C-alpha cells in the first residue's frame, strides 16, 4: 500500500525522544486517521520498547474504532503476537465500548477476557456490555476473573435493568434466563423479587433427589467430617450452623466451596460468614463440607481435635479427614461421645498410628472402612436416604446475600 506523504517522517518523530516532536507527531498522525495505520503497525512490530509503545498507543487511541479493528486484523493475520495484541487493545477509550463488548462474546476465552478487561477499565454504562453479560450467563458461562469483576463494578447501574429484562414479555427465554442468572451472580437470592425467588426454590425442590456423585473428590487436597445418619441433626448446633435449607448435592457442594463473605459484628469487625453442606445419608453416614477456617479453625491440629470431639459429643460418633498432597499432610481422627478413640497422622515424613488397630493407613485407605469413601459415592451402589442441607455460619445472615450462580 502506498504511504501517504508525511506519515513516514511523523513515525520517525514519534521515536525521536524529543517530547515536543513526539506530541506534535501524535496529533498529526491521528489526523491522518486510517491512512496512518498500516505504517504505524509496522513500526509497532519493529520496536516494542515501553516508551515507543506508549506513543504508538496514544495515536491508536486517538484514531479510535478503525485502529481497534486494524489491531484485531493484524493479530488475525499473525502480524502481532498475543502479548502485543493485548498491550495494544488496552489503549482505547469509551468510543470502543461496543467493540470491547463484542470481543467479550468471542468464543476464544482469551479474547473474551480482553473484552471484559476493556469494559472493566472503562466502566461505561454500556448497553452492549450489559447484553454481553446476559448472553454469557444465558450460555452457562462462568464469571471468574474479569467478567465477574465487570458485573460487580457495574452492579448498581445494571441490576434494575436486569430485573426489568426478567419481567419483559418481549424478551426471549434465553435473555430472561441470563438476566435471572446475573441477578443471582451479582446479588444472591436477595436480588430477586418474590416471584423469581419462588421459582428458584421450586426448582431446588424438584432437583433434590439424585446427583450424589457430585460430592468433592479427594484429589490433591480435601477435608470433611462424617457423622451417623441417625444422629446428624446434632452437627448443626455443634458447628454453629444456622438456617439449614434443603438443597441438591451439586448445589450444596458448590456453595460450601465458595469463599466467605464479609459479615462484621461489633465484637469482630473482621468476621466473615460462609456456608456448610451436609449431604444426604450415604450408606448410613452424612458428610459435612465447608470452609476449614470457618468450621474448624486456624490452629490446625488442636482445632481439629476439639472440633471432632465436640461433634462426636453431639452426634455420638464423628470422624474428621484431612488430606493435602501438596503439603504432605494425611490426617484423620475418629471420636465417640466426645473423646478421640483413633487417630492417624502422616505429615512431613512423620507417621503416628496404633499398631494394634485393625484399621490403619491414610485417609484414602481407611475412610471407606470408618464411614464413607467420597470417591466411591455414586460409583458403587450407594444407599441414599433423605436430602442434603445447606446452612450458614452466622445466625443473623440468611442465604440471600451470598452472590454467585450455583448448579441445580
Amino acid at each position: 500500500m502506498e504511504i501517504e506523504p508525511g506519515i513516514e517522517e511523523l513515525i520517525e518523530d514519534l521515536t525521536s525522544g524529543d517530547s515536543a516532536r513526539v506530541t506534535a507527531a501524535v496529533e498529526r498522525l491521528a489526523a491522518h486517521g486510517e491512512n496512518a495505520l498500516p505504517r504505524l503497525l509496522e513500526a509497532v512490530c519493529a520496536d516494542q520498547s515501553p516508551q515507543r509503545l506508549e506513543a504508538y498507543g496514544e495515536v491508536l487511541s486517538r484514531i479510535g474504532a478503525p485502529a481497534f479493528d486494524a489491531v484485531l486484523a493484524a493479530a488475525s493475520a499473525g502480524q502481532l503476537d498475543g502479548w502485543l495484541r493485548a498491550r495494544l487493545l488496552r489503549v482505547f477509550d469509551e468510543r470502543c465500548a461496543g467493540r470491547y463488548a463484542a470481543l467479550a462474546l468471542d468464543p476464544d476465552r482469551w479474547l473474551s477476557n480482553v473484552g471484559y478487561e476493556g469494559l472493566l477499565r472503562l466502566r461505561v454504562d454500556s448497553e452492549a456490555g450489559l447484553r454481553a453479560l446476559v448472553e454469557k450467563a444465558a450460555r452457562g458461562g462462568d464469571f471468574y476473573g474479569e467478567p465477574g469483576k465487570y458485573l460487580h463494578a457495574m452492579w448498581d447501574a445494571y441490576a434494575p435493568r436486569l430485573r426489568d429484562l426478567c419481567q419483559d414479555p418481549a424478551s426471549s427465554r434465553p435473555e430472561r434466563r441470563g438476566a435471572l442468572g446475573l441477578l443471582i451472580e451479582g446479588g444472591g437470592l436477595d436480588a430477586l423479587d418474590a416471584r423469581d425467588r419462588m421459582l428458584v426454590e421450586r426448582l431446588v425442590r424438584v432437583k433434590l433427589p439424585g446427583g450424589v456423585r457430585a460430592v468433592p473428590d479427594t484429589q490433591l487436597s480435601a477435608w470433611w467430617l462424617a457423622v451417623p445418619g441417625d444422629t446428624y441433626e446434632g452437627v448443626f448446633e455443634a458447628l454453629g450452623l444456622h438456617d439449614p435449607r434443603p438443597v441438591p448435592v451439586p448445589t450444596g457442594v458448590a456453595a460450601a466451596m465458595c469463599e466467605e463473605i464479609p459479615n462484621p459484628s461489633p465484637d469482630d469487625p473482621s468476621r466473615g460468614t460462609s456456608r456448610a453442606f451436609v449431604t444426604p445419608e450415604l450408606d448410613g453416614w452424612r458428610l459435612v463440607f465447608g470452609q476449614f477456617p470457618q468450621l474448624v479453625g486456624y490452629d490446625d491440629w488442636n482445632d481439629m481435635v476439639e472440633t471432632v470431639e465436640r461433634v462426636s459429643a453431639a452426634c455420638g460418633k464423628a470422624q474428621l479427614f484431612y488430606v493435602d498432597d501438596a503439603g504432605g499432610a494425611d490426617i484423620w481422627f475418629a471420636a465417640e461421645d466426645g473423646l478421640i478413640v483413633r487417630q492417624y497422622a502422616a505429615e512431613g515424613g512423620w507417621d503416628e498410628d496404633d499398631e494394634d488397630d485393625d484399621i490403619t493407613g491414610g485417609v484414602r485407605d481407611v475412610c471407606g472402612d470408618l464411614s464413607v469413601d467420597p470417591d466411591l459415592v455414586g460409583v458403587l451402589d450407594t444407599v441414599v436416604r433423605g436430602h442434603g442441607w445447606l446452612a450458614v455460619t452466622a445466625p443473623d445472615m440468611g442465604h440471600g446475600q451470598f452472590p454467585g450462580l450455583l448448579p441445580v
Side-chain angles (χ1 to χ4, degrees), residues 9 27 39 51 81 84 114 158 171 231 248 260 318 323 357:
E9 292 76 10
E27 295 284 350
R39 181 64 188 95
Q51 182 179 2
D81 61 25
L84 187 55
V114 170
Y158 286 170
S171 300
T231 58
E260 69 177 33
V323 60
D357 200 336

Side-chain angles (χ1 to χ4, degrees), residues 251-328:
T251 306
V253 169
M257 297 299 106
C258 291
E259 297 295 329
E260 69 177 33
I261 63 173
N263 183 29
S265 68
D267 296 332
D268 184 4
S270 63
R271 182 180 72 164
T273 300
S274 62
R275 294 172 285 191
F277 175 57
V278 181
T279 69
E281 185 176 312
L282 308 169
D283 289 338
W285 295 83
R286 291 199 182 229
L287 307 182
V288 183
F289 299 95
Q291 293 297 311
F292 189 90
Q294 294 278 315
L295 299 182
V296 180
Y298 293 91
D299 182 2
D300 291 355
W301 182 269
N302 293 330
D303 283 340
M304 283 192 285
V305 170
E306 193 276 332
T307 299
V308 74
E309 289 186 334
R310 174 165 28 94
V311 173
S312 75
C315 300
K317 295 182 179 180
Q319 296 136 28
L320 191 153
F321 302 96
Y322 181 93
V323 60
D324 180 2
D325 294 333

Side-chain angles (χ1 to χ4, degrees), residues 236 239-244 261-265 271-276 294-295 391-399 401-402:
F236 295 107
L239 291 178
L241 301 177
H242 304 270
D243 195 13
I261 63 173
N263 183 29
S265 68
R271 182 180 72 164
T273 300
S274 62
R275 294 172 285 191
Q294 294 278 315
L295 299 182
V392 297
T393 60
D396 54 352
M397 188 72 183
H399 292 262
Q401 298 181 45
F402 289 92

Side-chain angles (χ1 to χ4, degrees), residues 3-16 20-44 52-64 66-67:
I3 300 175
E4 190 171 299
I7 289 179
E8 192 70 53
E9 292 76 10
L10 292 173
I11 295 289
E12 292 177 3
D13 286 347
L14 277 184
T15 63
S16 66
R21 290 175 63 190
V22 170
T23 299
V26 167
E27 295 284 350
R28 293 174 63 190
L29 279 169
H32 281 281
E34 292 184 60
N35 293 327
L37 291 173
R39 181 64 188 95
L40 184 66
L41 289 175
E42 286 180 14
V44 169
R52 291 179 180 177
L53 277 179
E54 183 176 353
Y56 298 145
E58 181 66 24
V59 178
L60 292 171
S61 175
R62 293 187 182 216
I63 294 174

